[in-house]
Amino acid sequence: MEATVKKFQQKFKRVKDDMDKWDDLHARLVSQFRNASSIIGRLQLLESPKNYGSLKNLDNIKNTIFTKQMESLQKILLSMTKTLEELNGVVFSLAKTVRDAKQQVKGGSVQLSMKQLHQRIGVKPSIADCLEGLRILHEMYQSEYVLKSSVTSALVSLALKPSVGDLQSLERLLVDQPNIPNEEVQSIYDVIFAEEMC
Amino acid sequence: MESRLSSLSLSESTHQSPQNSGVKSSPSSVSVSRLWRPAAQRNMKNQWSRLNSLRHEWISSSSTARSHATSLVNAYLSQRHFRKHLLSNFAVNKNALNSSVNFIYLRLFSATASELVLHQDELISSYKDMVTTVVNMVNTSASMRCFLKGATNSPFIQFSSTSEDTNDNGDGGGIPVFTFYPISTFEKLAWEMVEMFKLELYLKRLLVIEFLSLRSKEDPINKRLCWSDEIYEGEFGNLSRCNLDHREAPESTFVQPNFQPDSDILQVYLTAWLTDVNIDKLRVDDIFSEVGEDMHVNYV
């Protein structure tokens, strides 16, 4: 029993690594988003010849600048897709942890009774606490991943008809990560590692 | 294919290939040419690694210049914004407040004016760095040849980067320096790249002039900087070294002096600065990987 709980605590430490990796990727995605968004915000300006001031008589300048900006935008969008893939990798890894954990409880040599599952020794968490914690964490990151991919596709469609307000609210949504409330994550870890806080 | 094969077999074929028979006086004997190659290779590697660091230098000074230009534009816009705000707020009881408003405004004006001057100086200094980089690029791509120094029949053979003999054109008779490319091909590739940077410098100069011309309505200096003005001392000397003639002003470029362009135009200027319109980055990378492949050097 105690050994199983210990194993589960190890899993939570690995999940922490996954979450750290997620944070790095999230920061990368946000900065990519900001770069893309500032290009998209400029596209309208670049379309109007009257905004070129002294440059307007240079051959082809408007087209060249416009094309180059579109190329950079495309490059950024591609790298955003790559970042999203890596984020998805983190979600996969969390899913695997949950699956393994369930397997461990069900497929173990000794079948645990309901009572054993919910039994807490001292401040140590029960096995059910561990399973539930892992499940919730996976669910949060899974939904946040779905949100991030839709924000990214929304950005692509905004490239065609930009609006500053929309760009800003999308950015807010991306930065906030509403599906991963920090306090909730923290409270899960508080339960699992209660003994370390004593 | 025929000529490539014959040039591969080095000096033995020099007297056979027709294009080389005229420049027989280039290091023609087998021993000279055998010694010429290592010297030429060493020089070539040095020049290209120099070009490689120069292109990175350009990127860094261009982005420094851009951030100074951005601060300059921001200082200018906030000054203008503040002025508008102040005037509209106090327009009602203008007479009563006029003197105190003027006082505040003048204080703030002189503060932002000196801020403008500061950013202008920074912009000029990083523009200067960019000019220097392009001058160095031009010089470097003109130093790819390797000339025989001293008499051919002397037992002690030396090479230098400057020509002493008008018959020696420093290309080793057109033989490949490393694998396939003769000197002329290396030069052609270098010029192709340097040409892009020269054109871009031209555009950047135009933008620098625009940024340096930003000033407020109250600024007593009414003379606007023109294309034919020297931006810093010695600029014209540098520009002529890269064959950029400042007098060739594209007059049509200057529609009318615009002392106060709006923020949209300024943002387009900054974007134009950022995009390096004339530099085809992919092609530049290609040139370096092509050259690197031929001389077995990896430029990343």
Side-chain angles (χ1 to χ4, degrees):
Chain A
M1 265 296 287
E2 266 202 72
T4 318
V5 169
K6 203 157 225 136
K7 269 187 202 154
F8 274 71
Q9 286 176 328
Q10 286 304 318
K11 285 190 198 301
F12 274 91
K13 287 200 171 128
R14 274 204 301 280
V15 166
K16 188 91 191 55
D17 292 341
D18 277 337
M19 295 190 327
D20 289 345
K21 192 172 169 211
W22 173 284
D23 287 345
D24 291 346
L25 292 168
H26 166 70
R28 194 197 299 168
L29 190 68
V30 168
S31 97
Q32 287 165 338
F33 181 94
R34 288 192 177 131
N35 290 338
S37 153
S38 63
I39 292 183
I40 292 174
R42 280 199 293 259
L43 287 178
Q44 267 181 329
L45 283 182
L46 293 174
E47 268 182 343
S48 155
K50 76 171 171 46
N51 288 333
Y52 281 76
S54 297
L55 298 179
K56 72 174 139 216
N57 292 333
L58 293 182
D59 284 345
N60 229 359
I61 186 100
K62 192 178 143 241
N63 278 342
T64 322
I65 294 184
F66 202 83
T67 320
K68 284 219 169 194
Q69 286 281 281
M70 283 308 262
E71 280 168 9
S72 324
L73 180 59
Q74 222 157 15
K75 225 182 278 169
I76 299 171
L77 290 176
L78 268 179
S79 40
M80 285 180 81
T81 319
K82 241 180 243 155
T83 313
L84 276 175
E85 267 166 34
E86 288 184 58
L87 284 166
N88 200 18
V90 175
V91 176
F92 270 135
S93 161
L94 292 174
K96 189 175 178 303
T97 310
V98 174
R99 226 171 29 240
D100 289 353
K102 278 187 188 153
Q103 201 63 39
Q104 221 165 333
V105 175
K106 271 194 210 148
S109 49
V110 193
Q111 282 296 318
L112 296 169
S113 66
M114 262 323 237
K115 194 175 155 236
Q116 282 172 312
L117 273 179
H118 288 94
Q119 186 177 25
R120 293 197 177 98
I121 302 164
V123 288
K124 280 190 191 302
S126 70
I127 292 176
D129 289 337
C130 295
L131 282 177
E132 183 60 6
L134 289 175
R135 191 190 63 77
I136 293 176
L137 286 174
H138 168 251
E139 206 177 79
M140 286 178 182
Y141 282 85
Q142 165 91 48
S143 347
E144 187 57 33
Y145 168 74
V146 173
L147 177 66
K148 279 184 166 26
S149 16
S150 25
V151 166
T152 308
S153 359
L155 179 70
V156 176
S157 61
L158 268 186
L160 303 171
K161 46 172 181 48
S163 120
V164 179
D166 288 355
L167 285 173
Q168 279 166 350
S169 24
L170 277 184
E171 184 180 331
R172 224 20 304 138
L173 201 55
L174 190 68
V175 173
D176 282 352
Q177 309 210 79
N179 293 299
I180 311 177
N182 274 329
E183 322 80 67
E184 206 171 320
V185 174
Q186 192 51 50
S187 71
I188 291 176
Y189 272 78
D190 287 349
V191 170
I192 305 297
F193 293 102
E195 78 227 75
E196 288 178 16
M197 302 202 299
C198 297
Chain B
M1 206 56 221
E2 185 77 8
S3 72
R4 171 167 283 187
L5 277 179
S6 67
S7 65
L8 262 180
S9 53
L10 306 187
S11 48
E12 285 137 315
S13 61
T14 42
H15 57 278
Q16 286 165 354
S17 70
Q19 71 266 39
N20 284 332
S21 55
V23 280
K24 257 238 175 108
S25 49
S26 300
S28 55
S29 77
V30 176
S31 71
V32 170
S33 130
R34 196 180 292 136
L35 291 167
W36 177 84
R37 279 188 91 195
Q41 288 179 351
R42 223 172 10 252
N43 179 49
M44 193 59 87
K45 276 190 182 161
N46 286 341
Q47 304 304 349
W48 278 92
S49 89
R50 198 136 182 257
L51 279 181
N52 194 35
S53 49
L54 285 168
R55 73 169 165 148
H56 292 299
E57 226 173 70
W58 165 278
I59 294 170
S60 98
S61 42
S62 170
S63 92
T64 313
R66 181 173 184 270
S67 72
H68 293 319
T70 310
S71 323
L72 179 59
V73 166
N74 286 339
Y76 163 78
L77 288 177
S78 64
Q79 183 192 32
R80 218 174 53 164
H81 172 79
F82 175 73
R83 183 180 184 278
K84 219 191 256 167
H85 182 73
L86 199 66
L87 289 184
S88 64
N89 265 7
F90 290 101
V92 195
N93 40 8
K94 207 175 177 179
N95 290 331
L97 277 166
N98 215 1
S99 59
S100 62
V101 166
N102 264 340
F103 178 71
I104 298 170
Y105 182 66
L106 281 174
R107 290 278 302 265
L108 272 156
F109 168 71
S110 65
T112 44
S114 62
E115 201 188 330
L116 279 180
V117 171
L118 174 77
H119 294 312
Q120 286 178 344
D121 288 346
E122 287 168 337
L123 177 61
I124 292 175
S125 129
S126 37
Y127 165 71
K128 197 172 162 183
D129 291 343
M130 295 168 72
V131 178
T132 312
T133 305
V134 176
V135 169
N136 287 335
M137 283 183 177
V138 171
N139 290 342
T140 307
S141 44
S143 319
M144 304 228 154
R145 293 177 179 246
C146 182
F147 301 93
L148 189 63
K149 200 174 164 187
T152 327
N153 50 9
S154 127
F156 188 59
I157 296 173
Q158 278 183 302
F159 295 92
S160 87
S161 55
T162 49
S163 175
E164 289 182 349
D165 177 357
T166 45
N167 282 324
D168 179 7
N169 53 22
D171 66 349
I175 61 169
V177 185
F178 295 87
T179 322
F180 294 116
Y181 297 160
I183 294 262
S184 58
T185 306
F186 283 109
E187 280 180 336
K188 222 178 73 201
L189 290 170
W191 284 118
E192 183 186 341
M193 182 191 90
V194 174
E195 204 53 39
M196 295 182 202
F197 285 89
K198 278 163 62 177
L199 279 175
E200 189 57 28
L201 184 65
Y202 199 76
L203 176 65
K204 296 278 200 269
R205 181 169 200 267
L206 181 64
L207 291 170
V208 168
I209 289 174
E210 289 296 324
F211 291 134
L212 294 181
S213 304
L214 292 180
R215 51 175 56 103
S216 65
K217 281 197 178 102
E218 289 78 4
D219 199 319
I221 310 159
N222 279 317
K223 192 181 167 294
R224 189 182 189 273
L225 205 61
C226 330
W227 181 258
S228 50
D229 292 333
E230 198 171 39
I231 294 179
Y232 63 87
E233 211 183 314
E235 189 205 5
F236 287 167
N238 288 337
L239 288 182
S240 63
R241 234 171 288 160
C242 1
N243 305 321
L244 281 176
D245 197 343
H246 55 90
R247 281 158 306 183
E248 270 177 33
E251 274 313 325
S252 59
T253 316
F254 300 99
V255 199
Q256 67 242 22
N258 190 355
F259 285 93
Q260 268 127 5
D262 62 26
S263 65
D264 285 354
I265 294 185
L266 291 170
Q267 208 182 340
V268 170
Y269 286 170
L270 287 173
T271 310
W273 188 290
L274 175 75
T275 44
D276 273 346
V277 179
N278 295 293
I279 299 174
D280 182 348
K281 206 184 158 293
L282 284 181
R283 178 62 190 146
V284 173
D285 287 344
D286 269 358
I287 289 177
F288 272 95
S289 71
E290 203 180 327
V291 164
E293 206 170 293
D294 194 77
M295 44 195 199
H296 302 296
V297 179
N298 194 11
Y299 295 107
V300 189

